Amino acid sequence: MIEKRQFYINGAWVDPVSPRDMDVIDPATEEVCAVISIGDRADTDAAVAAAKAAFPSWAATPLEERIALIRKLGEVYKAGRDDMAEAMRAEMGAPIDLARTSQWGTGTWHIDGFLDALEGFEFERAYKDVDRIRLEPIGVCGMITPWNWPMNQVFLKAVPAMAVGCTMVLKPSEIAPLSSILFAEMVDKAGFPAGVFNMVNGDGVGVGSQLSAHPDVDMISFTGSTRAGTAITKAAADSLKRVSLELGGKGANVVFADADEKAVKRGVIHCMNNTGQSCNAPTRMLVERSRYDEAVEQAKAAAEATTVGPTTESGRHIGPVVSELQYNKIQGLIETGIKEGATLLAGGLGRPEGVNKGYYVRPTVFADVTPEMTIYREEIFGPVLAMTPFDSEEQAVEMANDTVYGLTNYIQTEDPAKRLRMARAVRSGMVETNGVGRQLGSPFGGYGQSGNGREGGVWGIEEFCEVKAISGCPWK
């Protein structure tokens, strides 16, 4: 068992002021894998004070020096791959091969994306050859990250903030804090100045709320549930700080009759990836009626071919969901789907056959799901797919947009004109077509209750900047 009870504040590992211990549970075994301390007001205040004190000198540090430190962080991160992967395996249940590739790999991916975006990025530019427009660091940033893709979210927030000259306080998920503790060690090893990066473990009602309302925090960058995003926005309102939100999703995967033969299988695999614990998962599969019966059989076969296994073993299987709370929520929604009349094609209630420990969920597919059903509307955040037929392109657009969310939609058709029409018509911050993923540096973010932020590349850098217009100091 690991004990990680200290916080990283002002360039040093410090003991909590009023320590309150919390167990970290390995979701594959339901056993304690680590003990951490939960911070209190004094810890939050100390971290914010350190970030505030460090801000003037860090903001004035030449960009080239900041970039050099980010490159060094990337080198340290690459060298620590196995330790980082093991931390994520233990804390949130990613199978070890997924932890070593996709989960760990998001960090190097985002560093490369931001470094690419910084090349030629103009922090000061001309406007009509008379005014100067400057992008300046917003200041002290509170960062609250989730458990489902731990390093993905930490890198998407910390690296652009570091690059533009912001200082920060990170509060990782208390459910999966171990990878962020390792990240703090890596920041320290890379040699960032004291106070630039600080980390305090805590829960949402404690450290999370304290950061959101803190008068010396200039911005909150949050990724998590829509419910928590609403609470953070309200807490931040009195100080009028900027709030950047990346929230939930209920993505539609629209499969037309002319979609390629692997479209349905690809959609099921994407839905089940990371055990369905991705806000941009394509969890509603809308299928043109002439292909619907075939798609139902293909989806059933793909779900039944999705294996569930131990997180310590290599392979392409999926692992458990992150916690007992999540497991019970997913079981409740599967039960609701059955009671409301959806056709259960694969999976269902309970653990997979032969599994009697761990928060493992059966890969589940429902057919004949109608828009009034709960599983059509609510984000399940588990390996559960809902299938619904449609009759026309216009109906497909209407159904895809019939949600409070708007993160990612997916379009499958061999007709290029239809593909583009659909991509333009659906209301979401991202649209992926025919299985082609977003490119390096492309912005991540949504509409509506999926949030208001954009992370990654140039857009992610601009998130952490204020815009200043200067007149009377001609550009030329």
Side-chain angles (χ1 to χ4, degrees):
M1 187 173 68
I2 304 169
E3 294 190 3
K4 296 285 187 179
R5 290 184 163 94
Q6 291 181 308
F7 303 150
Y8 187 73
I9 299 175
N10 204 28
W13 291 95
V14 300
D15 293 324
V17 174
S18 302
R20 177 166 62 92
D21 286 349
M22 177 177 175
D23 293 338
V24 179
I25 306 298
D26 182 336
T29 64
E30 302 182 44
E31 296 174 356
V32 177
C33 66
V35 178
I36 63 167
S37 284
I38 297 296
D40 206 342
R41 170 73 64 181
D43 305 298
T44 303
D45 288 347
V48 172
K52 183 178 180 180
F55 175 67
S57 60
W58 180 243
T61 299
L63 176 62
E64 294 75 15
E65 293 182 24
R66 297 198 298 262
I67 288 176
L69 285 167
I70 290 170
R71 291 188 188 279
K72 178 62 176 177
L73 174 61
E75 294 171 5
V76 174
Y77 182 75
K78 288 178 182 178
R81 185 191 74 161
D82 289 346
D83 288 342
M84 184 63 76
E86 174 58 24
M88 290 187 285
R89 182 209 65 78
E91 68 187 2
M92 54 79 58
I96 191 62
D97 285 356
L98 178 71
R100 286 176 178 150
T101 53
S102 297
Q103 285 281 2
W104 171 84
T106 57
T108 58
W109 169 263
H110 291 312
I111 277 190
D112 289 345
F114 285 122
L115 291 175
D116 182 65
L118 285 165
E119 289 186 15
F121 187 90
E122 293 182 311
F123 285 92
E124 188 163 319
R125 60 197 71 165
Y127 179 69
K128 296 187 176 180
D129 292 330
V130 177
D131 286 3
R132 294 171 182 257
I133 307 299
R134 282 178 54 82
L135 297 182
E136 298 183 342
I138 194 169
V140 176
C141 301
M143 300 175 175
I144 304 173
T145 55
W147 46 260
N148 60 321
W149 287 91
M151 285 298 99
N152 180 69
Q153 295 309 132
V154 169
F155 273 83
L156 275 172
K157 298 179 190 305
V159 172
M162 292 168 173
V164 305
C166 292
T167 56
M168 65 216 71
V169 179
L170 170 67
K171 188 209 82 69
S173 168
E174 67 275 23
I175 296 174
L178 304 181
S179 53
S180 289
I181 293 170
L182 283 180
F183 180 81
E185 293 176 354
M186 292 174 177
V187 170
D188 187 67
K189 188 173 182 179
F192 281 81
V196 170
F197 175 86
N198 307 273
M199 188 210 69
V200 177
N201 282 314
D203 53 23
V205 298
V207 175
S209 294
Q210 292 156 16
L211 284 174
S212 301
H214 204 292
D216 290 333
V217 171
D218 301 291
M219 173 182 176
I220 290 288
S221 180
F222 170 76
T223 300
S225 71
T226 298
R227 176 194 55 77
T230 301
I232 286 168
T233 302
K234 291 177 179 178
D238 286 343
S239 55
L240 292 177
K241 59 172 58 66
R242 183 182 300 175
V243 178
S244 177
L245 302 172
E246 298 293 346
L247 308 175
K250 191 70 177 178
N253 186 6
V254 183
V255 181
F256 286 94
D258 66 346
D260 69 89
E261 62 180 12
K262 295 182 179 179
V264 173
K265 179 181 179 180
R266 183 170 65 239
V268 174
I269 292 171
H270 195 170
C271 177
M272 303 296 171
N273 184 46
N274 202 42
T275 320
Q277 299 172 122
S278 299
C279 52
N280 62 341
T283 53
R284 290 184 295 148
M285 185 178 286
L286 312 180
V287 184
E288 193 164 8
R289 195 174 297 276
S290 62
R291 187 167 170 177
Y292 184 70
D293 290 343
E294 176 190 42
V296 163
E297 293 304 314
Q298 291 173 337
K300 181 177 186 293
E304 290 175 344
T306 302
T307 57
V308 178
T311 60
T312 53
E313 293 183 5
S314 293
R316 301 184 68 179
H317 55 276
I318 64 174
V321 295
V322 75
S323 66
E324 182 179 14
L325 181 66
Q326 287 296 119
Y327 177 84
N328 290 338
K329 175 193 171 186
I330 294 163
Q331 295 298 307
L333 285 166
I334 292 173
E335 184 175 15
T336 297
I338 295 170
K339 287 181 178 178
E340 291 183 352
T343 302
L344 183 64
L345 296 178
L349 292 168
R351 294 184 176 93
E353 186 177 349
V355 177
N356 57 18
K357 179 181 277 191
Y359 306 125
Y360 292 94
V361 175
R362 300 170 69 188
T364 297
V365 176
F366 284 101
D368 309 323
V369 178
T370 56
E372 71 273 8
M373 291 183 180
T374 304
I375 59 173
Y376 184 94
R377 312 205 74 81
E378 286 194 22
E379 184 180 36
I380 298 174
F381 228 62
V384 181
L385 175 68
M387 300 183 70
T388 306
F390 68 87
D391 293 301
S392 67
E393 183 176 331
E394 293 73 21
Q395 187 185 25
V397 171
E398 182 180 353
M399 293 173 70
N401 290 340
D402 184 20
T403 174
V404 298
Y405 297 107
L407 190 57
T408 313
N409 284 304
Y410 301 81
I411 311 298
Q412 321 297 328
T413 173
E414 293 297 286
D415 182 340
K418 184 192 297 182
R419 200 159 63 238
L420 183 56
R421 281 197 309 271
M422 286 293 299
R424 287 171 170 168
V426 293
R427 296 277 298 166
S428 57
M430 298 172 287
V431 183
E432 295 186 13
T433 70
N434 287 3
V436 178
R438 294 176 308 110
Q439 299 303 295
L440 184 68
S442 184
F444 188 103
Y447 291 6
Q449 292 189 22
S450 288
N452 56 16
R454 291 297 182 272
E455 295 185 322
V458 170
W459 296 269
I461 293 169
E462 291 176 345
E463 279 279 274
F464 292 94
C465 292
E466 291 281 24
V467 180
K468 176 184 286 184
I470 303 173
S471 59
C473 297
W475 187 261
K476 292 183 179 179

